[in-house]
Amino acid sequence: MSQVETQSMSDSLPVEKLLEVIGAISDTNYSRYYLKQYGFDTGLGWKDTQSNILEQFSGKRKAPEKATYSNLVRIAKALMYLGKHYCELFKVTDAEHQSLLKNAIGFKFDGKPYSNCFPLFIESKDLTMASLPVLTSIENKKSGLMFYFSTPRKIVERVEELKKVDGILRQLSYKKEIKKQFIDTVFVPNDYKRIEFRISTDVGKRDIEHEMERLQDVFVKIISANGIKLKDTNPVNLNNAITSIYDDSSIGRVVDCVFYSHDNGISIPRTCRKEVDVCLRDQEYHLAGAEKEEVECVAVTVRWEQTVAKLKLKIKTQVSLESMANFNYTFCRRFIIDNPKGLPHSISLISMVEQGAE
């Protein structure tokens, strides 16, 4: 692109607003993995990254042909369903699956005000009053059908500001409740008879069950209004996947796990998150402990690490499952998928969990 073209694009396109969305939905290192693939000039922190990309669009900094606004939009949308999310699954019949894939792109829905500027966020003053997910966009991907929902949620953030205290200007820091736009997604893969519900882990553990149920309820009502009624609307029980993943040494590196002792009813947590190339499967503690008392793995986190030499970045992908104590460790309704390397990789990891649960 010539400098005249880039200057024109910078003036006419809301690049800064799109970068604000990317900064809000993803951590810097993970977003850099996608930005660098398209030739965007990133920095170590998000402020540097944002500044560099704005300079590329203004012509102050060199940019390759592929560093376009349309590719920046593509990255923003991808980060809405990648990154770090809670995930729950519905099983669907063959007929339900085919009907969704064939008809959903033509669904009628009112996504305003969010759909008016998607994938940009609307102004906070324009957020809908009810904290319900609003279907904002439906898109066909190569590997399936993606539903984007905008959900206004109240969260507590730390705010910093300068204020005069006793005549002296001081930097004050305090917590404040604010309302923000979140993006939740529902995905129907072409090759698997399931529905994947994703909500950002920025939603707290206390709230996730309520928020996930609301997303599922809204989704079921929308497809029902468009002529598709699901036979089963209960999340898949993933409990068996915990032990099957822990026991399979070909699946990642175990960096967190919890064992439950049936003898004395206590939970035994273990972690090696900060250690390099250590896998909890191999620790003598577990091997010897299992011989002395009856224990069951009730939580597991597996990690895959890859250094992308071309991009000079290290990506840590993780999958975490935890059985529910209030169900006597017999039920696991959701898992966390963290930093998959694209949608096909995400589908593969979810299939691994689903198959382990069978």
Side-chain angles (χ1 to χ4, degrees), residues 326-340:
N326 55 330
F327 281 86
N328 294 318
Y329 300 109
T330 60
F331 193 72
C332 171
R333 65 182 298 155
R334 73 184 63 91
F335 59 98
I336 294 174
I337 183 166
D338 187 358
N339 293 359

Side-chain angles (χ1 to χ4, degrees), residues 75-88:
I75 291 166
K77 288 181 179 180
L79 291 170
M80 288 173 179
Y81 54 79
L82 300 173
K84 190 173 183 179
H85 291 86
Y86 294 107
C87 185
E88 291 189 12

Side-chain angles (χ1 to χ4, degrees), residues 86-90 195-197 212 216 235 333-335:
Y86 294 107
C87 185
E88 291 189 12
L89 308 177
F90 279 5
I195 303 172
E196 304 168 6
F197 297 87
M212 191 68 82
Q216 291 164 356
R333 65 182 298 155
R334 73 184 63 91
F335 59 98

Side-chain angles (χ1 to χ4, degrees), residues 250-275:
S250 69
I251 298 177
R253 180 167 68 92
V254 176
V255 295
D256 270 328
C257 63
V258 176
F259 277 85
Y260 176 73
S261 171
H262 291 279
D263 292 346
N264 54 33
I266 64 168
S267 296
I268 311 158
R270 299 287 283 176
T271 186
C272 64
R273 280 178 176 266
K274 295 182 179 179
E275 298 174 55

Side-chain angles (χ1 to χ4, degrees), residues 112-152:
K112 295 177 182 176
Y114 304 100
S115 57
N116 292 339
C117 61
F118 183 78
L120 301 179
F121 284 175
I122 65 173
E123 298 292 331
S124 57
K125 63 181 176 61
D126 298 324
L127 289 169
T128 46
M129 293 299 291
S131 296
L132 288 172
V134 176
L135 180 55
T136 304
S137 179
I138 306 173
E139 294 185 3
N140 261 322
K141 306 290 182 185
K142 286 181 182 178
S143 47
L145 197 66
M146 188 69 70
F147 298 78
Y148 296 89
F149 288 82
S150 297
T151 307

Side-chain angles (χ1 to χ4, degrees), residues 34 81-82 141-144 146 187 196 198 340-348:
Y34 294 95
Y81 54 79
L82 300 173
K141 306 290 182 185
K142 286 181 182 178
S143 47
M146 188 69 70
F187 181 65
E196 304 168 6
R198 290 179 177 85
K341 299 186 293 293
L343 185 54
H345 188 214
S346 173
I347 293 169
S348 171

